Amino acid sequence: MGVTEGQGATDAMFFREGLVDAPARGDAPAIPLTGDASLDKHTRVALLREEREIARRFEGGKMWIYPAFAFTCYAIWLSFFPLAIMGWLNLPLAFVLSTVFAVGGYVTSHEAMHSNIGRPGSKTRWLNEWTGKVSTIIIVFPFSMARLMHLEHHYHCNHPEKDPDYPDRANGPWHAIYKTWLNRQPGIDGSIHIYKRILAEMGTKEAADSLKDTIRLQLIFLAVLFAMAWSGYAIEAALIWWLPRHIGLSYIRFYLSWAPHHPREERGRYTNTRLFKSRLGHIGSIGMETHFVHHLYPAIPSHRTKEAYYALRPVLEKRGVHCPEI
Amino acid sequence: MQKAVQTLFKIMPLLFGIGFIAPLIAQTMIYWGWEPPLGLSPIGFGLLVGGPWGLYATLRGRWV
């Protein structure tokens, strides 16, 4: 399940953005830097090479933990429904677990979005796809849509119109929490409306299918809630699915979108994401303190970005990247 | 079909108010032993709150 082809995908992303010289382009524009502008092109290319060599050591690893977590949590969460109806469920505990599963599910699906569990054409590709699919059911965000939007976020990070996560831009943490709620309101030009616009612009079959998947999953979610509520299980439905979904989405939006990209003003390879120290620690912030490393090398899985950060730190500092203690 | 789905999602907050919030209010009241005002049944009270709240969200585009 190890990942070996990740560098290719990473490079393709850089070249698409024009952030890194493609080898065949000869005198293509130099790598944009915000750090030490006195570095000449050769130094920058040498640093990038060194950076890539270090990063490659952290790609892949124990990737089985992601499908194992995803399928186990999904099975436990599904069991909550019959158990609740039979009256055999500790509802407060189920509520806490469901919320953890909602947040954790995005982390596992995120690895699948980057094909880190199984590359296209590999033996583990099916596992990659199913891990992604089951992981985001609790948050009612189908994998097909989540993947498309997340990859667009990488391609156009912090672009006001092209980055699907741009609506999460906020002035500070409290404003960011408020925005996570506001952007889910039905009439606000928030996340889903931006997604729909971006999908329409893409105009591909994949985009149309992901919108259909979203409609289907939302209708299933609402049908389950309505049916349970009118059968006398409204509190159970609220605590197992409705509230965990909303809390989970806010948590995900805050930590995966707002915190690492605040203040969303820069678009450069080394400036579109920030390194930060979270009050909830590395696990509490779902590994987002070193999300910067993920944007540089998406093939490095979430559980290894901190380790990779410390290995990359000397090279990044030479580039002028501010590298705090995390 | 597309038009029907669009209409359905347009009025979804109203449906959500009736379909989920109303029974949730009623069952929460029963669970905590709260008496509905004006001699209403719990589900009657739930519908009285959930219906207009959903309508408000449909018209205004936000729940609060």
Side-chain angles (χ1 to χ4, degrees), chain A residues 138-175:
Chain A
I138 306 182
I139 55 169
V140 197
F141 189 31
F143 179 58
S144 53
M145 171 76 97
R147 172 155 59 189
L148 276 182
M149 292 301 106
H150 186 66
L151 295 180
E152 283 298 299
H153 161 67
H154 272 265
Y155 295 144
H156 306 291
C157 191
N158 295 350
H159 189 291
E161 273 135 37
K162 293 181 178 176
D163 181 354
D165 292 348
Y166 196 80
D168 295 321
R169 186 175 191 268
N171 301 327
W174 292 110
H175 187 213

Side-chain angles (χ1 to χ4, degrees), chain A residues 30-151:
Chain A
I31 306 153
L33 286 171
T34 55
D36 189 348
S38 65
L39 293 174
D40 61 32
K41 185 180 172 183
H42 287 290
T43 310
R44 284 181 282 183
V45 170
L47 283 173
L48 182 64
R49 203 165 286 144
E50 200 182 334
E51 190 187 293
R52 282 179 179 171
E53 278 168 20
I54 296 167
R56 203 165 284 148
R57 300 205 308 260
F58 296 93
E59 290 176 0
K62 292 176 184 168
M63 296 308 292
W64 60 267
I65 57 174
Y66 294 96
F69 181 86
F71 289 108
T72 305
C73 294
Y74 184 61
I76 294 171
W77 177 74
L78 266 189
S79 75
F80 288 164
F81 290 90
L83 290 173
I85 289 167
M86 291 187 283
W88 295 349
L89 190 69
N90 180 326
L91 266 179
L93 178 65
F95 164 63
V96 172
L97 286 176
S98 298
T99 307
V100 171
F101 297 164
V103 175
Y106 192 86
V107 177
T108 53
S109 79
H110 181 231
E111 294 304 323
M113 287 173 208
H114 290 287
S115 300
N116 288 347
I117 298 160
R119 298 273 157 198
S122 70
K123 279 183 189 171
T124 52
R125 184 59 177 173
W126 67 273
L127 190 58
N128 186 83
E129 298 304 281
W130 280 102
T131 300
K133 282 175 189 174
V134 302
S135 295
T136 53
I137 289 173
I138 306 182
I139 55 169
V140 197
F141 189 31
F143 179 58
S144 53
M145 171 76 97
R147 172 155 59 189
L148 276 182
M149 292 301 106
H150 186 66
L151 295 180

